[in-house]
Amino acid sequence: MFVLFSFVNAQTSGIDSGVSFEIRHLFEGSQEVLSGNVQLLNPSQALEFYSGRDFREAWVSEGRLTCNAYEIRYLIQQSRFDGLIPEEYHLASINRLFELIELAAKENFSVSDMELAQLDVTLSDAFLELGSHLYLGKVDPDHGDYGWELKRKEPKKEVLAMLKRALEGCDVRKSIEALYPGFPMYKRMRISMMEFYEKAKYTPNSWDQLTVVKSIKPYEEHRIIAQVRERLDFWEGISSEPTNDPHRYDSLLVKRVEKYQRQLGLNPDGVLGNATLRALNKRPEDLIKQASVNMERLRWLPDTVVSEVILVNIANFSMDYIKEKDTLLHSKAIVGKAYRKTPVFNAPMTYLVFSPTWTVPPTILRNDVLPAVKKNVGYLKSKKMRILTYGGKEVDPYSIDWRKVTSNSFPYLIRQDPGPTNSLGWVKFMFPNTHNVYIHDTPSRDLFGRDDRALSSGCIRIEKPFELARLLLSDQPFWSDDRIRSSMFGGKEQTVMLRRQIPVVILYLTFWTDSLGNAKIRHDLYDRDEALYKALNPSLAFKTGK
């Protein structure tokens, strides 16, 4: 382990001396371990950096701090707006040495070469650590609690290259920002984070949890209406007009609640139910935590720019088809239940199937279909399901002794024929993967009107399957709108290969900031945010700057 020391009054003399000499000796490990030491976090990269410049100092010049030094310290301080902890990038030691050097300049005394060397290497190490966290993420996403299986960026020497570039071009900020995730929303999320921190300074000491036994409808009266009005005033930065009846849910407040519900991705019906109140109960500190974990999730993403992508956000119950950075289709989606979670992963879509049959997967067979059949064999006929051998031969369900059947001993397949009751609807979109998850239509169209759409067994059902099929087949003139419709409703399974592979990315984001600068907050339906926040902040020493 390489160690730097905060205040060592060692002086060197002779020809081989100076800050460069002391930097080299720090890496040679020739110094005695003292209390108050600073341990290097990236010793190998720091050594490679200084070796490549003959151990010349990078951040100090003639005993003074350079503009670059002040810039990196400022960026470290600002890293809290990335959901990171500035103190983890040697900030306390950097501040002490800055104060010492500034005092020396003011009172006209010299700072030792050793102290200048310590500061120089500390700043380089801080750049490497902060840059690594911004580029790859701070937490390893492979931990099972985070439910993340997307392939990450390669841990190349990108950060070390940016350190060299920052000092050569005297533009530290630009080099640090070049390590941000390559998605415009990331910088917008930083601005939202700044706003949350500012709001946190003024959070009222009294912040009651608003609850109701029964949802409050427009124009009703309730004891919490005054608090709802105050809570919206806080977030909107306004003062409501005085009202003669503070407990009445009047038309002006209804409009404000409807606007707030749109921001939450809820049905803007003005009804004050659990979902709306759950969001109103969040303090700025809660939103800082929520923004932190989602900025980390963005840092985990590969930033390969693709011209065409299908993006599913589980927490937003949505699917977007994006081409050349334009969203050509937005569709409501139904995702996996909390106990049958839709996984976070990516895979290329290669084909779609019109009028699909549905072979019941093992989990649904075990938990749903077999128990239903044991109660009533007629269930199969009502659902247009057939029992098949693995060789494709149909089996009479009444020939089976269902009392002896278990999910482990069942030697057949159960397949549902195409039709209006088929669980996959009229079309499925295939991106083969180990999870056996895909996008498909559904006969249960009424479910798209619900706010909470975590209702499936893991697959993604979409509200606009025809529109997606039309976009995917737009480069095949044979597939006109009429032909797509006739194939969807034709009653005979038909596979259509795509002429290009289209990346499908399934994400879990409970917070982001849209192109208009609006913070979008979603419910953590799989309860994943807290575990990730604890990993980002192992001490849980949360400070808002109040």
Side-chain angles (χ1 to χ4, degrees), residues 42 45 72 84 89 124-137 153 158-160 162 175-176 178-180 299:
N42 300 274
Q45 285 190 312
I72 187 58
L84 300 173
Y89 309 104
S124 295
D125 191 53
F127 183 106
L128 291 168
E129 184 73 355
L130 175 59
S132 176
H133 289 171
L134 291 173
Y135 182 64
L136 287 173
K153 293 186 284 284
E158 191 72 25
V159 180
L160 180 58
M162 281 299 172
S175 295
I176 283 289
L179 296 168
Y180 288 168
R299 292 190 287 264

Side-chain angles (χ1 to χ4, degrees), residues 314 333-343 345 358-369 379 423-424 433 435-438 440-442 447 453-461 526:
I314 298 167
I334 293 169
V335 300
K337 303 171 186 177
Y339 59 92
R340 295 185 185 176
K341 299 177 178 66
T342 297
F345 71 103
W358 180 50
T359 301
V360 181
T363 301
I364 298 176
L365 183 70
R366 179 178 63 249
N367 296 331
D368 302 320
V369 175
Y379 172 87
S423 295
L424 304 183
N433 58 84
H435 304 285
N436 198 27
V437 164
Y438 40 91
H440 62 84
D441 183 21
T442 176
L447 298 180
R453 297 193 291 277
L455 304 168
S456 82
S457 297
C459 283
I460 299 137
R461 311 174 198 168
Y526 290 166

Side-chain angles (χ1 to χ4, degrees), residues 98-167:
F98 268 53
E99 290 169 5
L100 175 65
I101 295 170
E102 289 167 348
L103 182 64
K106 181 179 179 181
E107 299 189 2
N108 199 27
F109 68 85
S110 298
V111 178
S112 73
D113 290 339
M114 172 60 75
E115 288 161 333
L116 293 172
Q118 291 164 10
L119 174 61
D120 206 272
V121 178
T122 300
L123 288 173
S124 295
D125 191 53
F127 183 106
L128 291 168
E129 184 73 355
L130 175 59
S132 176
H133 289 171
L134 291 173
Y135 182 64
L136 287 173
K138 177 181 176 181
V139 176
D140 184 352
D142 291 338
H143 194 291
D145 286 347
Y146 312 139
W148 197 269
E149 297 182 39
L150 283 166
K151 186 178 180 181
R152 299 176 77 190
K153 293 186 284 284
E154 294 294 331
K156 299 177 293 186
K157 293 185 178 179
E158 191 72 25
V159 180
L160 180 58
M162 281 299 172
L163 172 57
K164 296 175 181 177
R165 198 173 305 167
L167 295 167

Side-chain angles (χ1 to χ4, degrees), residues 164-228:
K164 296 175 181 177
R165 198 173 305 167
L167 295 167
E168 290 169 0
C170 294
D171 199 334
V172 178
R173 178 190 293 271
K174 185 176 180 181
S175 295
I176 283 289
E177 290 183 354
L179 296 168
Y180 288 168
F183 308 98
M185 77 167 70
Y186 186 84
K187 287 187 177 181
R188 299 196 297 262
M189 291 166 77
R190 291 187 90 252
I191 294 172
S192 291
M193 183 74 97
M194 294 176 191
E195 294 169 352
F196 296 156
Y197 268 98
E198 187 64 23
K199 279 288 186 185
K201 296 177 182 178
Y202 307 103
T203 305
N205 292 325
S206 175
W207 191 279
D208 297 334
Q209 293 295 293
L210 309 180
T211 59
V212 291
V213 176
K214 182 182 178 182
S215 296
I216 307 170
K217 296 179 180 178
Y219 314 113
E220 293 182 344
E221 291 193 1
H222 198 281
R223 59 177 178 80
I224 70 166
I225 292 300
Q227 290 171 292
V228 170

Side-chain angles (χ1 to χ4, degrees), residues 285-428:
E285 293 86 346
D286 297 322
L287 297 188
I288 289 170
K289 291 171 64 174
Q290 194 164 350
S292 297
V293 300
N294 286 284
M295 294 177 85
E296 177 74 355
R297 288 176 178 134
L298 276 190
R299 292 190 287 264
W300 289 345
L301 284 174
D303 57 3
T304 304
V305 178
V306 293
S307 61
E308 188 177 24
V309 66
I310 294 170
L311 183 66
V312 176
N313 184 358
I314 298 167
N316 193 39
F317 306 115
S318 68
M319 183 219 72
D320 291 284
Y321 172 80
I322 302 169
K323 191 169 185 179
E324 304 297 346
K325 299 184 179 180
D326 288 332
T327 300
L328 301 185
L329 177 64
H330 175 78
S331 176
K332 291 181 178 180
I334 293 169
V335 300
K337 303 171 186 177
Y339 59 92
R340 295 185 185 176
K341 299 177 178 66
T342 297
V344 173
F345 71 103
N346 56 333
M349 182 178 291
T350 54
Y351 66 97
L352 52 86
V353 180
F354 292 123
S355 292
T357 58
W358 180 50
T359 301
V360 181
T363 301
I364 298 176
L365 183 70
R366 179 178 63 249
N367 296 331
D368 302 320
V369 175
L370 287 181
V373 176
K374 285 186 173 186
K375 290 180 181 179
N376 177 15
V377 180
Y379 172 87
L380 292 169
K381 185 176 180 180
S382 70
K383 297 292 183 179
K384 292 190 175 181
M385 291 179 173
R386 294 178 294 130
I387 299 176
L388 302 174
T389 66
Y390 281 91
K393 183 179 179 181
E394 188 168 351
V395 177
D396 182 355
Y398 291 95
S399 68
I400 298 172
D401 186 352
W402 292 101
R403 293 172 300 176
K404 297 180 180 180
V405 168
T406 68
S407 58
N408 293 327
S409 64
F410 191 64
Y412 307 114
L413 300 173
I414 293 183
R415 180 168 293 164
Q416 187 177 38
D417 292 330
T421 61
N422 185 283
S423 295
L424 304 183
W426 298 110
V427 59
K428 65 178 181 179

